Amino acid sequence: MTSEKILTSRLKINKAKLALLEKLSNAVGVSGCEDEVREIVIEEIKPYVDEYNVDAMGNVLAVKHASIKNALRVMFAAHMDEVGFMLVGEDDKGIFAFEPVGGIDERQLVAKPVVAGKDHIAGVIGAKPIHLASAEEKCHPVPMDSLRIDVSPANSGRLKIGDFATFATRFQLSGDSLFGKALDDRLGVASLIELTKKKADHLEILFAFTVQEEIGLRGARVAAYNFNPDLAFVVDSTPAFDFPAYEPGVENSRYNCRLGFGPAIYIADAGTLSDPRLIRFLTKIAEENHIPFQFRQPGGGGTDAGAIHLTRTGVPAVSISVPGRYAHSSILHAKVKDWENTLALLEAILNNVDRSILAEER
Amino acid sequence: MKELIRKFTQTAGPSGYESAVRNVIREELKSYASNIQVDTLGNLIVRVGEKNRNGLSILVAAHMDEIGVIVSHVEKNGLVRFSNIGTVFPRFLPGSRVVFLNGTRGVVNNEKPEDITKIPKFEKFFIDVGAASDKDCPVKIGDLAVFEGEFADYGLNIVSKALDNRAACALLIETIKQIKTTPHELIFVFSTQEEVGSRGALTAAFGIEADLGFALDVTPASHILGTKMQCDLGKGPAIKVRDVNFISDPGVVNWMIDGAKKIRVPYQLEILDVGSTDARSIQMTRSGIASGALSIPCRYVHSPSEMINMNDYQNMIALMVRLLTNPVSLG
Amino acid sequence: MTVIEPFLLSLLSAPGLSGSEGPVSKIIAEKWRPLVDEISSSRLGSLHALRRSAVEGKRPSLMIAAHMDAVGLVVTKIENGFLLITAVGGVDDRILPGQAVIVHGKREIPGIVQMIPDRLMPSNLTNEPLRFSRLFVDTGFDQKELEKFVQIGDVISFAQPPILFKDDYIAGHSLDNRASIAALTVCLEELKNYNLQWDVWAVATVQEEGTLRGAATSSYEIRPDIAIALDVTFAKGPGSNNHMTFPMGKGITIGIGSNVHPALTGIFKKIAEEIDMPYAMEPMPRSSGTDSMAMQITADGIPNMVIGIPIRYMHTPVEMASINDIMRAGRLLARFITSLETNALETIFSGKSS
């Protein structure tokens, strides 16, 4: 299907793409309540996909059909959910106890603005004034169970137990840097949306916008069972710890990935050993198309691939991440160029993927 | 018999990269070639026999992967930083040697410890392949290595790296060759990625849909180390009752015990509060499968010098043949 | 005395640890047989009881899962006439010294859990937290006799008989989750006089504690359109009074969070209000800790609901619950089931899914 290669005009990051990312980043979609993100996704992909539906868990499953029979079934997945909070009790008028949803470092919470509930009620996570904190208290992080979300007495009646909350951060573009909350994984969601606009009708293309990744890869698992794909690519955002080491003169050998070095291809994480055939394929097409890329350092962590590759009789899978600093905090930092190169790599997949990749044994 | 174990243990096959092991196993099973398939995750599946009226379809899984390390970064000074593949104990690392899949060899050591009485944390270790800088380093991020650990014949006991689980792979080959007739459809799975969470067995079992399944593995014979679990070398194959997140089907346990009693081989009952085997993946397949596990007692599991007893090995082959060639009643 | 009391007492008097659910399964099967159209066991031993719909042809199905297994102990070694042990499920070792137990070997023998006394411990370990390595079971039998009827892997259950208090409170081992088995039975009793539009599967699952394996495999086999996990939750009591605990005897809890479908949360709230049943919303920020975690992600996904019965002192032999709450849970479920029309799937999920 080399005739399709005419479509290799690179997906440049333009105003429209940035506007889409902004909308996605500002939307609230804590794991288990992804409604706002789902609505945006459906609205955006509707004109470009042949069919879509929302499954029992809330995943958006969309298909672009092949024009040929027995076409290769290629799945792309990105998770819609973000880490956040759930209100679990009201102590006083407008003062809510909350629990984290997904992995959040308690030191990232104090003195942050939040939005809570479907109506985005404004609130703050307050802290005891430094004057009142004892010397002993200052030796420890402010403990999670002492923190409260305060929406002021005026708003106490507008929220209830079980409502979700997240950081109130608004998206911002500054030079070639993207700042915003939930860029993990709205960068992936935005990438998949852009991919739906591409034509590759020699493939059966299966898009899964998944739920509940941050609390156990739950959505991806049922999405993959439903799609039963021949192979899968997961698009996520992985932390960049590309800072100087704490001790002067020591080399930082644990950066995970670095901003500005292009999409990070996964070899091994806690949940997945990427299919080596797909790693070779990605490396090859990236080199052929002059797309910069990096390997994410093998180690812990995980993506939806952890669930997808173990579905049914197994699915060859690999993850590709847009590097982002400060994951799971109030503001993430990613680079326009890394996103652009990630889009280029995804497009190259559409143009080059075929059954021969899987012809040899793993 | 020992030669086969030697050959298997000395072949490198870290989780996810088992192809070399798969090839030596396939070589041994040449005469079964038409009944061999390799699936998506790289499991080698061999089918023997057909299910007759009294028969079942029985899945037996022995994992062929071993623990290892993977390069995470090469420093400017040429030292190689790494991450673990499977459960690698830091206490076995200082002074151990590794060999990469591309043939490069290296020694493992650690940064100067702050407290010499404590085992350093994993991230303090590095591999030295003799490179002077990152530019001339023969390995790069993502390259995999396994530990070196020569095969040694101590007579009744043998020592090597990767007896977990190549001893069971060899044992399974010898079992297959001894089975002449069976009332069952036997599906032997040489599984992948067990050391990272029984992943290969999970997808293999989904595709096979057996009536009964069990894992062949090694189990820590740690009695001698003073743990309160009762398992030692030379006291016969271990029949698993429970481990972390897995409870054997009582019918399968009794079937194995009865089999051992019938042919008068000693056996031990195994209960573990660490570790796990492919049995847990087999059990949770689809609507559930009656499952259990048979293990070769093994000392110093996940060290470069694991040790098993050849009487246990022989007895386990006899037990396997008995179990797989006679009708099964799970009562 | 409520109708369910004798059955509940028999449930709390039976062993049935994870992986060894046989004894309690038998009691449940006997009780359920007259209440359902068919009853069978899954490969792993879960009990599947079907109340068939009165509607001909294709109709939706509902699965209600309550796990029947309980936590306890297991023999790891027989040494010098004592049984060394470890936990089956989440048992706090600190509650064990002095517990009366029953060892389920070839025959049932009584025993006592005790600890190696301080004076025999190395001095640096005396004040260490209690570990299983310090605990043992004393049965009075010597090594030789013990080896005759006990083997490694035999389970050990708590011997504590149930205690009935005035005003409908009850204590005993295994209220987690036999309280829910009783509630599910109340539900089946209530349904006796109704023709059902949906197929309803009452499922007593195995191996919930630790692995959720029974629910995972049963939901794969049954493939219901909706699944409900019925389980106990934390009651307010000594040492547990935070926002994630609920008053005992003041009604059931309705789950809200990622493991449950928001449309079902809404429906259960509405039904509870219609019949004036007291309830509390139970926030489940990350996961429910129940069979719903496994059922939700079965195959291509199943919408789930979690109903909770608050109990005190969970995973001890003296768990405490209100029988009234148990009755309430059963009645709420029955009300939900009788309200289900054949087209309910469309009406329930016509809004946005979660």
Side-chain angles (χ1 to χ4, degrees), chain A residues 8-245:
Chain A
T8 47
S9 63
R10 287 264 180 101
L11 281 160
K12 288 281 181 226
I13 303 300
N14 52 22
K15 275 206 176 126
K17 290 193 181 63
L18 288 168
L20 171 63
L21 183 63
E22 173 165 10
K23 193 155 68 161
L24 286 166
S25 168
N26 290 343
V28 175
V30 180
S31 310
C33 187
E34 296 86 354
D35 304 44
E36 281 180 30
V37 183
R38 181 165 44 240
E39 273 171 37
I40 298 171
V41 167
I42 290 173
E43 202 50 43
E44 293 287 336
I45 64 171
K46 227 192 281 186
Y48 304 105
V49 298
D50 295 318
E51 57 177 281
Y52 72 91
N53 76 302
V54 177
D55 74 4
M57 287 187 67
N59 296 308
V60 179
L61 305 180
V63 183
K64 274 176 86 111
H65 290 302
S67 60
I68 52 169
K69 280 208 176 106
N70 301 321
L72 191 67
R73 298 171 65 79
V74 184
M75 173 173 176
F76 291 91
H79 68 89
M80 297 188 289
D81 61 315
E82 66 186 292
V83 298
F85 320 103
M86 181 188 265
L87 306 186
V88 299
E90 188 166 5
D91 286 354
D92 198 356
K93 276 197 168 312
I95 297 182
F96 287 90
F98 64 94
E99 287 276 326
V101 178
I104 305 180
D105 181 340
E106 59 193 2
R107 292 167 301 183
Q108 299 286 347
L109 299 184
V110 189
K112 300 294 185 313
V114 298
V115 288
K118 289 212 187 316
D119 299 328
H120 292 205
I121 307 291
V124 296
I125 303 176
K128 193 191 252 190
I130 187 168
H131 324 68
L132 305 180
S134 70
E136 165 65 16
E137 278 174 329
K138 277 189 270 181
C139 294
H140 306 284
V142 182
M144 181 85 87
D145 60 9
S146 76
L147 296 174
R148 293 293 181 269
I149 289 177
D150 188 345
V151 295
S152 88
N155 280 321
S156 109
R158 299 177 64 192
L159 289 169
K160 57 187 189 311
I161 290 169
D163 280 350
F164 289 91
T166 190
F167 297 110
T169 316
R170 306 300 288 180
F171 179 85
Q172 206 183 341
L173 176 72
S174 172
D176 65 344
S177 287
L178 306 159
F179 292 99
K181 75 163 181 70
L183 291 177
D184 168 14
D185 182 28
R186 304 294 154 70
L187 277 164
V189 171
S191 303
L192 255 59
I193 290 173
E194 295 301 337
L195 212 54
T196 62
K197 299 171 185 170
K198 287 284 153 185
K199 193 165 171 265
D201 57 9
H202 59 300
L203 301 172
E204 184 83 356
I205 316 176
L206 315 162
F207 296 96
F209 298 88
T210 64
V211 297
Q212 302 190 28
E213 191 268 356
E214 299 288 1
I215 49 176
L217 322 180
R218 295 184 197 148
R221 180 174 151 141
V222 304
Y225 189 94
N226 190 316
F227 276 152
N228 200 7
D230 292 318
L231 71 176
F233 298 92
V234 173
V235 188
D236 208 327
S237 172
T238 193
F241 301 112
D242 50 348
F243 315 107

Side-chain angles (χ1 to χ4, degrees), chain A residues 307-338:
Chain A
I308 293 168
H309 86 286
L310 296 181
T311 303
R312 294 182 187 252
T313 54
V315 179
V318 65
S319 302
I320 300 160
S321 267
V322 188
R325 287 184 186 153
Y326 323 117
H328 295 200
S329 77
S330 55
I331 310 179
L332 285 76
H333 174 195
K335 290 288 184 191
V336 174
K337 207 73 197 159
D338 286 333

Side-chain angles (χ1 to χ4, degrees), chain C residues 19 123 128-129 203 231 233 272 309:
Chain C
S123 55
E128 286 286 292
V203 177
D231 210 330
T233 185
I309 301 169

